[in-house]
Amino acid sequence: RKGPIYRDMVRRSVVVGGGFVGIASALQLQRIGRLVTLVERTEISSAAAASYGNAGTMAAYANVPVNSPALLHKLPSMLLDETSPLSIKPSAHLASMLPWASLFAWNCRPA
C-alpha cells in the first residue's frame, strides 16, 4: 500500500506500564520513528510504580534461577501463604496452569 494516503502516515504505538521495561520499550519505539503513547496507572516515579523499588536499575548479580531443588520442599507452604511470592488464589484458571507448573517442578530437580 504505497499511495499518497499511506506515505505520510505515522506509525503509532501504545506501551502499557511506565516501569523499567515500559519506558525502555517506549524509548526504543521512538528511536525507530514511532509516535508513542505511554500509559501508566500511577504517576511516573511514584512509590506505587512497579520499578520504584529498584530505581530503574537492573542488577546482573540478582538474576538467579527461581527454580531449585530446595524450592520443591518449600513450595506447598509458599503457595498457601498469601504474602509469598508464589502465592495463588483459587480460581478456574489454575487448571490451565498445570502444564507450566509441572514443567517448573520438573526443572527444580538437581542438575
Side-chain angles (χ1 to χ4, degrees):
R1 296 182 178 183
K2 295 180 182 178
I5 295 174
Y6 297 102
R7 183 179 55 228
D8 297 327
M9 286 184 65
V10 175
R11 304 275 319 236
R12 299 173 185 268
S13 298
V14 175
V15 175
V16 178
F20 184 81
V21 174
I23 291 176
S25 299
L27 288 171
Q28 181 59 31
L29 287 165
Q30 283 183 332
R31 282 187 193 112
I32 64 170
R34 299 285 179 101
L35 183 62
V36 179
T37 301
L38 181 65
V39 179
E40 170 59 46
R41 68 180 174 151
T42 63
E43 183 180 331
I44 300 288
S45 79
S46 84
S51 293
Y52 179 80
N54 63 13
T57 62
M58 190 71 159
Y61 67 84
N63 294 326
V64 295
V66 175
N67 48 359
S68 71
L71 183 63
L72 278 180
H73 301 290
K74 298 177 189 175
L75 196 58
S77 63
M78 290 179 82
L79 292 173
L80 298 174
D81 178 4
E82 65 183 37
T83 62
S84 162
L86 290 178
S87 68
I88 55 173
K89 292 181 181 177
S91 73
H93 177 65
L94 288 178
S96 67
M97 292 177 59
L98 284 175
W100 175 88
S102 300
L103 186 59
F104 182 89
W106 177 259
N107 285 301
C108 284
R109 296 172 300 121

